[in-house]
Each structure stands twice: as C-alpha cells, then as structure tokens.
Amino acid sequence: MNSLENKVVWVTGAGRGIGKAIAVAFGKEKTMLALSSRTANEIKSVSESINKNGGTACPFPCDVSSEADMNSTVKKIEKTLGDVNILVNNAGVARFMPLVETSMDDWDRMININLKGAFLCTKAVLPTMIEQKEGHIVNIVSVAGIQPFPNASGYCASKYGMMGLSAVTREEAREHNVKVTAILPGAVDTPIWNNIEGDFDHSKMMLPEDIAQTVILACKQPKKTLIEDIIIRPITGNL
Ligand code: NAP
C-alpha cells in the first residue's frame, strides 16, 4: 500500500456526513487537507478537530456549482498547501419527489451541485495532475448512479451523469498516470436524510466512516493499480 503522507487532498462537502468522515480519515494519514463546503463554520470546526489530532487541514469555503468560485478556490489551495494530488468530489444534495412534482429549481440544484460541481472541480485540478503525471480523482457517486429509484429523477440523473463523467475522465487521464475512482454507496446514515420524506430505518444504514475507509483503500493502491468502481451497500441491501 502507498503512503499518503504529505499529499495535498481536497475534499468537497467536508462539513458533515460522508465528506467529514473522509476528511478525518485522510487527516490520520498525515495528508495536507483542503476542506470545502458553503457553510464556513462547519469546515472550520472539522479542520480544527483534525489539526488538534495532529493532522493538517484548512477550510476553503466555496460553492462547487460556481465556476468562478472553483477557479479562485483552487488557486487559494495551491498557494496555501500546494498543487492538489487527490480530489474527492463528494459535495452533493438530494431531493426526492415524483418527476411531475419536480420543480426546475429542484432539478437545477441537483444537476448543478452533484454533476456540474464534480465537473468544475475536476477541470480545475486535472491540468496540473496531467502535467505532474500523477493524481487521483475520487467521485462519491451513489448506487443511484447505476440503479433507478422512483421519485429520484433529478438525483438519479445527476448520479448517472457522474458515472459518465467518471468513466470519460478515467479514459482521458489514464495515459497521464492520473487515476479516477467512482465510489457507489447505498444508504449511509448522514444529515442528507433529514430532508427526505419517508420512513427509513437508520439502524440498517452504513456509517460515513465505512465509506471513508473505501476511499483510503482506493487511494493507497500501488502506483500501477487502479480501483475503478466500488459498490458498497448495507448488508440488508437497499432500504
Ligand atoms: P450531507 O450530510 O448532506 O453533506 C453534504 C455536504 O455537501 C455538506 O458538507 C454540504 O455543505 C456540502 N455541499 C452541498 N452543496 C454544496 C455546494 N454547492 N458547494 C459545496 N459544498 C456543498 O450529505 P452526505 O450524505 O454526506 O452525502 C455526501 C455525498 O455522498 C453526496 O454526493 C451524496 O449524494 C452521496 N451519497 C450519500 C448517500 C447517503 O445515503 N448519505 C448514499 C450515496 C451517496 P453545505 O450545505 O454547507 O454547502
């Protein structure tokens, strides 16, 4: 397994849920962490807790769906920590409702944050990774990227799109020694479920830390080995 020490890692959506767990796990690997989300106080508090435990993390508040924000954020990260070696596209939102009740606003939010956000962050770091002939992009997709769920047209469309984006980026990047991994979790117990109507059994859900461990596993593979896709579900299957 490769060491991740001193790698510059950018995790989006790192203020809570899966992104926070991924940040904490990379903190334990002695990486240099850039943490992003729109809520500045959440990434500030995650950074402080990582730093208190011997890691290195800095908050970079931004909205992944804004191209201007992405370009300026990546410049700030490079200036503060150095070129990004690992990008984790994790920021995401979910709203579930029948297609006919899905407003333009709901649709745009999911496509712009989940799909366009991953595209913009990738575009901001990939040229440097290609130049350096080294890098890793990890996309936190969902089983909704390969399986249709009723009442999730916008969410599934954004996640199926992320699978396409991951696959094409991988094929363009592999000749430059840059890796792309798509992680497809089933239900994980995070605050994302607070805004989703329905009776879900949280005791059956995976923990954010379980997903963080799969990210670390993918990133620690030997130089010549690429884990392309990981599907990880609760033992009970879909909830
Ligand atoms: P969560 O607890 O709601 O956290 C989402 C994170 O993304 C927050 O830090 C949020 O911060 C950030 N975010 C949202 N919009 C953003 C934007 N425009 N710019 C920057 N950051 C933004 O969600 P989660 O469950 O951890 O989900 C994380 C990822 O895993 C998502 O892509 C989700 O689709 C995927 N996933 C989740 C599950 C699950 O069951 N939980 C399963 C499969 C896949 P702000 O709101 O402050 O910006």
Side-chain angles (χ1 to χ4, degrees), residues 13 15-16 18 38-39 63-64 90 141 155 159 185-186 188 190-191 193:
R16 52 184 188 266
I18 296 171
R38 293 165 301 182
T39 312
D63 179 345
V64 294
N90 166 78
V141 189
Y155 189 69
K159 295 296 184 177
V188 185
T190 73
W193 291 95

Side-chain angles (χ1 to χ4, degrees), residues 59-75:
F60 294 90
C62 64
D63 179 345
V64 294
S65 65
S66 151
E67 185 175 18
D69 228 11
M70 277 311 92
N71 293 339
S72 72
T73 302
V74 87
K75 283 200 186 93

